[in-house]
């Protein structure tokens, strides 16, 4: 006869017997984001995720047959929505508010996990996440910056021809470059400086 004492002894240390279904799945996805943020894509293992989620390795493999499948679901579940475009009365204030929001997403747990994927994956693995990144990050942020510029054009503080792909890429490109290459965490004053010295002169009526 198997007693509760013998069952507990047979259970791997640190494994919780109580969580099942969606609760366990959420724990595994959370552990995946934690692992990506701490050890990166190359260091992430299914075994490490299982330990972090306090479950058995079989429970992870039963739901996700590969590391790519697991990470894709973790990112999709964890990436926060950016919301609607701010409207604070001027393009300067709108861009500042939006950049703070983007900065907070970049340095959130899902944001750090996403950057690990972007910067460490080989071309074959990165292709697995392309549609997810476009739908969950690139297109929403691109649309928000475009909405901010449209508001500025309507108010008269942004030149009418300012909306093009090069202009829309300036802030995301600078934020990613400074974050990854220079190690900047983008404090508020640096975001304000970027907007005042780069974006406002670039966007204002009469700029060439």
């Amino acid at each position: 006869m198997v007693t509760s004492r013998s069952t507990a002894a047979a259970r791997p240390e640190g494994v919780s017997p109580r969580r099942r279904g969606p609760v366990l799945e959420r724990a595994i996805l959370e552990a995946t984001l934690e692992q990506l943020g701490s050890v990166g894509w190359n260091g992430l293992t299914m075994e490490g995720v299982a330990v972090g989620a306090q479950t058995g390795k079989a429970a992870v493999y039963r739901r996700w047959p590969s590391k790519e499948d697991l990470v894709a679901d973790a990112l999709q579940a964890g990436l926060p929505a950016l919301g609607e475009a701010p409207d604070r009365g001027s393009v300067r204030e709108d861009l500042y508010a939006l950049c703070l929001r983007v900065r907070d997403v970049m340095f959130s747990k899902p944001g750090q996990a996403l950057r690990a994927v972007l910067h460490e994956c080989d071309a074959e693995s990165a292709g697995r996440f392309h549609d997810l990144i476009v739908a969950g990050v690139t297109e929403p942020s691109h649309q928000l910056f475009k909405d901010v510029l449209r508001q500025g054009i309507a108010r008269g503080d942004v030149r009418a021809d300012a909306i093009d792909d090069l202009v829309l890429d300036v802030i995301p490109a600078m934020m990613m470059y400074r974050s990854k290459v220079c190690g900047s965490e983008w404090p508020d004053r640096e975001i304000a400086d970027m907007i005042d010295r780069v974006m406002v002169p670039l966007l204002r009526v009469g700029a060439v």
Side-chain angles (χ1 to χ4, degrees):
M1 178 178 179
V2 178
T3 66
S4 59
R5 182 185 298 273
S6 60
T7 301
R11 185 182 303 123
E13 185 177 352
V15 174
S16 171
R18 298 186 181 89
R19 295 173 304 164
R20 294 180 176 85
V23 174
L24 177 57
E25 289 178 4
R26 282 195 297 273
I28 293 171
L29 295 177
E30 281 288 319
T32 302
L33 296 179
E34 289 279 3
Q35 287 277 305
L36 281 169
S38 59
V39 303
W41 166 263
N42 292 325
L44 183 140
T45 64
M46 303 290 264
E47 293 81 356
V49 169
V51 171
Q54 295 187 323
T55 190
K57 184 171 62 174
V60 180
Y61 277 108
R62 193 160 51 241
R63 292 163 172 80
W64 295 277
S66 72
K67 178 167 130 173
E68 287 81 3
D69 291 326
L70 173 59
V71 169
D73 278 359
L75 290 174
Q76 192 161 28
L79 284 173
L82 287 170
E84 297 182 353
D87 187 359
R88 301 192 173 188
S90 73
V91 71
R92 193 267 181 199
E93 294 304 317
D94 290 348
L95 286 175
Y96 180 69
L98 181 53
C99 285
L100 292 180
R101 198 185 304 170
V102 170
R103 187 267 317 272
D104 291 344
V105 170
M106 284 176 63
F107 288 94
S108 67
K109 186 190 302 180
Q112 290 174 330
L114 176 61
R115 283 188 288 143
V117 169
L118 286 172
H119 295 296
E120 294 182 35
C121 274
D122 56 31
E124 183 177 352
S125 296
R128 171 71 174 78
F129 304 110
H130 177 266
D131 291 345
L132 184 153
I133 292 169
V134 169
V137 179
T138 308
E139 287 183 348
S141 60
H142 192 271
Q143 186 60 52
L144 285 178
F145 282 112
K146 189 180 292 186
D147 290 345
V148 164
L149 297 192
R150 286 198 181 108
Q151 289 170 178
I153 291 170
R155 283 192 300 258
D157 60 352
V158 172
R159 57 189 175 86
D161 62 346
I163 299 178
D164 64 48
D165 288 341
L166 286 176
V167 172
L168 292 169
D169 282 347
V170 171
I171 289 177
M174 287 188 67
M175 293 187 77
M176 287 299 292
Y177 169 77
R178 292 283 298 277
S179 171
K180 182 62 180 178
V181 178
C182 304
S184 171
E185 295 186 358
W186 282 106
D188 294 3
R189 58 180 173 75
E190 288 189 12
I191 289 177
D193 202 31
M194 172 181 63
I195 293 168
D196 291 336
R197 297 177 60 188
V198 178
M199 294 309 298
V200 171
L202 177 63
L203 297 170
R204 67 189 172 200
V205 176
V208 292

